[in-house]
């Protein structure tokens, strides 16, 4: 029997500042064998932390091409654990458990056109899909990305946009941009009226609950079926293995049944606070 | 079999084990027993449960220093649970399933000898659906090493449920017992219809007005979750010995606490008292039922007894029928 609660030592290979509050951490298990056998599904998460402070869940945002060398998580400085991690530098240690959860179904990612919709820091999760697509690991389907953010200062992965735009339609919309912003402005839902949506696409949503509510409405207007809409839900993760109850919603556990659900799976749960 | 024989079993087991069972004090409590005379064989339900010993309110998960984390050998002393009623035997079987893959729980569970005791209904605790279903074959669907059926104050009938139980009696040259072969937790007739009905009731009522009423009454104190033998919510707690050294404990948590489930940015998902009491019932009757095909509520009625707002479990379930 494996001790699922015991974290493993990992080393920070690189820290990159992504926005005013978010840093991209490149991590590798100190045990090289462990890193070599590392695998994840797009949408799965890692528990990352320091034993004297705590741990929290972060979606894996690297390409599976690099699994043998490292994995990446983008961490926003919003609480006690994340503040401590933000204080760490290249070469420092962190402790990790995972990967955990059920991600987006790979056959869907490989076979269907994908409409990726990210809101705020939720867009982190989409990066692993985009990178694998860029690396030719997801087939020849088309990908369209809508990314809604508050302003230029909070926008993530700016340095990678240019490369991505060569291969995919990557649209960033800002709610409160500076005067020099020339691109789309407003809420993410506005993009449904100004952009042609990919035909026969599956929608993949990563963002705050409020975004889900309005984006799902738009998707329904565009005749997306419930089973073609996938959402990644954010809940408090503690054990990661479906026991401790912190992440429970209705009859499901976000840490093991999710964090990725199809709308079909969760729309009847009638949960407090919707999604 | 006389009381003297039961005491003999006690004295024999006392040599190598720590014994826990019902003990009368201000109230009947599941406590450490130091002599056979302390063991209460009335068959009433203690206010607390075996959970405190099996899955302690706080126990060490691992140690850490500034370099690494270190697994610790889990403390798994030799223990006897002496005198668990059918409710607590059910709770034990339930927890075994919840923690099936939990190293720490299983290490402790393996070392525990379980002795059941027939239940005597009383006014203050639950005489409910489980009792109505107290069928002849109930013992076949519970796991125990020994089971004591109390016929009167000085007359008991003994059952064995495992080879380990038989060996204890053989050592003591007790031949007057019946062996019961464990036939799985779920009876031949299939899933418990009461559990199935309650699943439907709670599931259907989700988001309904009825929970607003119970939410207004509930004080969110979490006493029910502490008393409940099957409530097992937990979280990690970090204890520092100095700046760099310390250990991580697993501690009990309660889904009634407002910060339970809260994520960064103070975002809560169980926002109101109604959400939280619904979630508790939903966990027991829906989530647990879907996971294990048995209810997470064993019907012991401890929650009724400790609730300061006088909320009664069966009344809540009944209110969902309307």
């Amino acid at each position: 029997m494996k001790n699922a609660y015991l974290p493993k030592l990992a080393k920070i290979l690189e820290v990159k500042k992504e926005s005013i509050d978010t840093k991209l951490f490149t991590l590798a298990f100190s045990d090289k064998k462990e890193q070599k056998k590392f695998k994840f599904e797009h949408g799965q998460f890692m528990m990352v932390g320091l034993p004297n402070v705590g741990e929290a869940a972060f979606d894996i945002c690297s390409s599976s091409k690099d699994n043998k060398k490292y994995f990446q998580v983008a961490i926003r400085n919003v609480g006690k654990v994340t503040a401590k991690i933000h204080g760490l530098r290249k070469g420092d240690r962190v402790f990790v458990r995972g990967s955990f959860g059920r991600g987006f179904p790979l056959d869907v990612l490989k076979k269907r056109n994908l409409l990726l919709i990210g809101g705020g820091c939720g867009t982190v999760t989409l990066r692993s899909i985009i990178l694998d697509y860029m690396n030719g690991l997801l087939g020849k389907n088309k990908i369209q990305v809508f990314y809604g953010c508050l302003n230029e200062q909070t926008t993530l992965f700016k340095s990678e946009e240019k490369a991505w735009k060569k291969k995919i339609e990557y649209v960033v919309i800002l709610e409160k941009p500076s005067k020099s912003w020339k691109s789309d402005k407003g809420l993410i839902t506005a993009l449904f009226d100004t952009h042609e949506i990919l035909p026969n696409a599956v929608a993949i949503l990563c963002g705050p609950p409020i975004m889900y509510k309005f984006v799902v409405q738009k998707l329904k207007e565009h005749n997306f079926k419930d089973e073609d809409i996938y959402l990644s839900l954010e809940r408090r993760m503690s054990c990661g293995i479906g026991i401790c109850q912190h992440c429970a919603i209705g009859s499901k556990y976000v840490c093991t049944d999710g964090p990725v659900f199809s709308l079909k799976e969760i729309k009847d749960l009638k949960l407090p606070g919707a999604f | 079999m006389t009381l003297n024989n039961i005491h003999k079993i006690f004295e024999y087991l006392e040599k190598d084990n720590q014994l826990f069972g019902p003990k009368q004090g201000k109230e009947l409590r599941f406590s450490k027993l130091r002599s056979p005379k302390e063991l209460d064989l009335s068959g009433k339900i203690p206010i607390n449960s075996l959970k405190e010993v099996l899955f302690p309110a706080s126990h060490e998960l691992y140690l850490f220093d500034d370099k690494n984390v270190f697994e610790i050998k889990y403390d798994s002393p030799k223990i006897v649970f002496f005198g668990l009623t059918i409710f607590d035997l059910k709770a034990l079987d339930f927890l075994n399933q919840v923690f099936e893959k939990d190293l720490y729980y299983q290490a402790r569970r393996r070392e525990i000898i379980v002795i059941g005791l027939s239940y005597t209904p009383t006014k203050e605790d639950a005489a409910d659906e489980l009792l109505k279903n107290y069928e002849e074959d109930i013992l076949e669907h519970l796991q125990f090493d020994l089971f004591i059926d109390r016929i009167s104050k000085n007359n008991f009938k003994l059952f064995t449920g495992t080879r380990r139980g038989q060996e204890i009696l053989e050592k003591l040259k007790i031949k007057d017992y019946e062996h019961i072969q464990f036939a799985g937790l779920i009876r031949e007739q299939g899933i418990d219809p009461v559990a199935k009905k309650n699943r439907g009731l709670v599931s259907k009522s989700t988001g309904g007005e009825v929970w607003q009423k119970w939410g207004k009454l509930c004080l969110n104190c979490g006493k029910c979750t502490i008393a409940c033998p099957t409530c097992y919510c937990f979280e990690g707690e970090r204890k520092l010995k100095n700046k760099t050294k310390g250990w991580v404990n697993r501690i009990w948590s309660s889904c009634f606490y407002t910060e339970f489930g809260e994520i960064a940015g103070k975002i809560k998902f169980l926002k109101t008292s109604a959400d939280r009491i619904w979630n508790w019932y939903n966990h027991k009757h829906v989530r647990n039922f879907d996971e294990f095909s048995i209810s997470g509520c064993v019907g012991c009625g401890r929650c009724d007894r400790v609730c300061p707002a006088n909320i009664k479990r069966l009344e809540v379930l009944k209110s969902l029928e309307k």
Side-chain angles (χ1 to χ4, degrees):
Chain A
M1 212 182 294
K2 232 173 64 185
N3 187 343
Y5 307 113
L6 189 73
K8 290 183 174 129
L9 188 61
K11 199 173 169 183
I12 300 176
L13 302 183
E14 202 185 324
V15 184
K16 184 178 173 236
K17 194 167 165 101
E18 280 293 338
S19 75
I20 46 162
D21 57 7
T22 304
K23 287 180 179 175
L24 179 69
F25 290 84
T26 305
L27 308 173
F29 285 94
S30 294
D31 179 352
K32 288 204 171 79
K33 274 187 216 151
E34 192 74 40
Q35 188 60 52
K36 274 203 169 142
K37 63 178 190 199
F38 179 77
K39 269 185 192 161
F40 73 95
E41 293 170 20
H42 307 89
Q44 277 193 318
F45 64 94
M46 297 293 288
M47 296 298 292
V48 182
L50 293 163
N52 58 343
V53 186
E55 54 177 13
F58 304 98
D59 284 359
I60 300 157
C61 68
S62 41
S63 167
S64 42
K65 178 177 80 71
D66 300 315
N67 280 350
K68 285 188 177 154
K69 292 179 279 174
Y70 61 80
F71 63 91
Q72 290 174 312
V73 286
I75 297 177
R76 191 170 156 226
N77 187 355
V78 277
K80 198 177 68 178
V81 176
T82 52
K84 274 279 177 210
I85 298 175
H86 264 240
L88 299 174
R89 286 176 297 190
K90 183 178 171 176
D92 284 344
R93 277 177 291 257
V94 285
F95 288 85
V96 299
R97 293 191 294 133
S99 55
F100 290 122
R102 183 186 67 158
F104 300 99
L106 192 61
D107 59 325
V108 169
L109 297 185
K110 279 185 168 171
K111 286 177 191 153
R112 301 282 300 270
N113 285 340
L114 305 175
L115 170 59
L116 309 183
I117 301 165
C121 61
T123 202
V124 164
T125 316
L126 303 178
R127 184 171 175 263
S128 68
I129 302 175
I130 296 171
L131 290 178
D132 274 4
Y133 183 79
M134 295 297 294
N135 289 326
L137 300 172
L138 289 181
K140 292 196 170 78
N141 50 345
K142 282 189 176 160
I143 291 195
Q144 182 173 34
V145 183
F146 289 172
Y147 170 27
C149 211
L150 185 67
N151 54 34
E152 289 96 330
Q153 287 77 41
T154 56
T155 305
L156 302 173
F157 314 129
K158 288 186 284 266
S159 63
E160 294 169 275
E161 266 178 29
K162 210 175 153 188
W164 295 351
K165 279 178 177 166
K166 283 180 188 162
K167 230 175 150 182
I168 55 183
E169 188 192 351
Y170 189 85
V171 187
V172 180
I173 182 164
L174 299 182
E175 200 184 331
K176 289 173 184 166
S178 66
K179 278 178 189 159
S180 61
W181 181 253
K182 301 249 165 20
S183 195
D184 292 275
K185 190 182 156 184
L187 293 170
I188 198 157
T189 42
L191 297 177
F192 285 84
D193 305 321
T194 54
H195 290 71
E196 185 94 17
I197 306 293
L198 276 182
N200 302 316
V202 161
I204 286 178
L205 280 61
C206 299
I210 185 83
M211 181 194 98
Y212 290 166
K213 194 176 166 190
F214 293 105
V215 168
V216 165
Q217 275 175 19
K218 282 284 176 193
L219 291 167
K220 296 311 288 177
E221 283 168 25
H222 283 77
N223 300 317
F224 276 76
K225 290 184 208 145
D226 289 348
E227 58 265 39
D228 286 341
I229 300 172
Y230 290 90
L231 311 101
S232 176
L233 302 191
E234 187 186 12
R235 285 294 185 279
R236 170 139 158 210
M237 308 293 189
S238 187
C239 74
I241 52 171
I243 309 180
C244 78
Q245 300 299 314
H246 293 270
C247 71
I249 52 164
S251 59
K252 299 193 186 297
Y253 297 112
V254 174
C255 76
T256 49
D257 297 317
V260 171
F261 295 94
S262 74
L263 184 62
K264 194 183 175 192
E265 288 172 308
I266 54 170
K267 73 165 186 176
D268 295 327
L269 290 178
K270 287 184 279 177
L271 308 166
F275 296 111
Chain B
M1 173 139 327
T2 62
L3 182 62
N4 198 24
N5 286 110
I6 306 294
H7 284 176
K8 253 196 206 167
I9 298 173
F10 188 104
E11 281 155 0
Y12 170 70
L13 292 170
E14 206 181 13
K15 283 180 219 157
D16 295 326
N17 302 279
Q18 297 179 41
L19 274 63
F20 290 85
K23 180 179 164 184
Q24 194 65 53
K26 263 188 202 161
E27 54 191 350
L28 189 68
R29 291 190 68 83
F30 187 77
S31 324
K32 195 164 187 173
L33 303 168
R34 285 182 176 82
S35 85
K37 279 187 187 139
E38 286 185 342
L39 173 67
D40 184 294
L41 288 165
S42 63
K44 291 176 191 165
I45 299 172
I47 194 72
N48 61 337
S49 79
L50 57 100
K51 180 172 80 171
E52 293 173 10
V53 182
L54 186 60
F55 172 56
S58 173
H59 76 83
E60 290 177 8
L61 280 182
Y62 56 88
L63 303 166
F64 62 84
D65 63 16
D66 55 345
K67 291 186 180 65
N68 214 336
V69 293
F70 307 95
E71 195 168 15
I72 46 171
K73 198 174 176 293
Y74 188 54
D75 175 32
S76 47
K78 285 179 170 294
I79 286 173
V80 177
F81 285 164
F82 210 121
L84 299 183
T85 63
I86 48 167
F87 299 97
D88 286 355
L89 287 175
K90 278 200 167 224
L92 182 58
D93 283 337
F94 175 81
L95 291 173
N96 288 345
Q97 295 204 58
V98 170
F99 292 104
E100 194 187 2
K101 290 175 185 154
D102 189 295
L103 210 68
Y104 300 92
Y105 176 96
Q106 293 299 337
R108 184 162 280 208
R109 174 67 188 90
R110 266 197 301 278
E111 297 299 326
I112 298 177
I113 295 171
V114 177
I115 304 180
L117 173 66
S118 55
Y119 167 62
T120 311
T122 58
K123 270 183 196 162
E124 70 264 22
D125 60 40
D128 72 351
E129 70 264 35
L130 180 69
L131 210 57
K132 278 185 243 154
N133 293 338
Y134 193 107
E135 312 264 342
E136 285 279 298
D137 69 347
I138 190 155
L139 293 185
E140 285 174 27
H141 302 287
L142 294 170
Q143 296 183 86
F144 52 82
D145 295 296
L146 293 173
F147 189 90
I148 302 165
D149 189 7
R150 180 183 188 262
I151 295 154
S152 73
K153 261 188 173 173
N154 198 26
N155 187 12
F156 302 89
K157 198 175 168 196
L158 269 183
F159 297 92
T160 58
T162 60
R163 183 73 205 125
R164 179 154 71 168
Q166 286 175 322
E167 279 167 10
I168 293 167
L169 298 187
E170 276 164 20
K171 278 260 161 48
L172 292 165
K173 300 197 166 52
I174 296 171
K175 290 190 176 119
D176 183 16
Y177 67 85
E178 195 181 309
H179 185 71
I180 290 180
Q181 193 60 43
F182 178 61
L185 296 182
I186 295 163
R187 293 168 50 183
E188 295 79 359
Q189 299 91 315
I191 288 165
D192 177 11
V194 177
K196 210 170 176 176
K197 182 187 162 199
N198 288 340
R199 192 222 177 270
L201 285 174
V202 177
S203 179
K204 220 176 76 191
S205 70
T206 302
E209 276 295 303
V210 63
W211 292 108
Q212 298 301 327
K213 176 191 139 189
W214 295 112
K216 269 181 202 151
L217 282 172
C218 177
L219 304 171
N220 287 233
C221 67
K223 272 190 160 186
C224 50
T225 61
I226 292 165
C228 177
T230 64
C231 264
Y232 56 84
C233 293
F234 62 82
E235 57 197 37
E237 178 198 44
R238 279 124 226 288
K239 290 276 183 190
L240 296 177
K241 206 167 157 189
N242 56 40
K243 251 188 169 175
T244 53
K245 283 185 182 175
W247 64 94
V248 175
N249 284 336
R250 166 155 66 186
I251 57 166
W252 289 358
S253 183
S254 171
C255 59
F256 282 97
Y257 301 159
T258 54
E259 67 278 13
F260 187 87
E262 184 181 291
I263 59 168
K266 304 255 173 233
I267 298 165
K268 289 180 172 63
F269 296 97
L270 297 171
K271 292 191 181 85
T272 65
S273 173
D275 289 344
R276 289 188 282 273
I277 191 166
W278 161 79
N279 176 61
W280 195 59
Y281 279 82
N282 194 65
H283 179 207
K284 303 272 173 215
H285 298 283
V286 181
R287 271 202 302 281
N288 280 158
F289 180 84
D290 289 355
E291 282 173 278
F292 308 115
S293 303
I294 52 174
S295 173
C297 173
V298 294
C300 69
R302 286 182 173 96
C303 51
D304 294 359
R305 286 159 69 188
V306 299
C307 179
N310 210 20
I311 296 172
K312 303 281 183 226
R313 189 179 43 91
L314 289 179
E315 284 173 24
V316 173
L317 289 170
K318 205 168 175 204
S319 75
L320 307 179
E321 289 181 14
K322 286 168 198 162

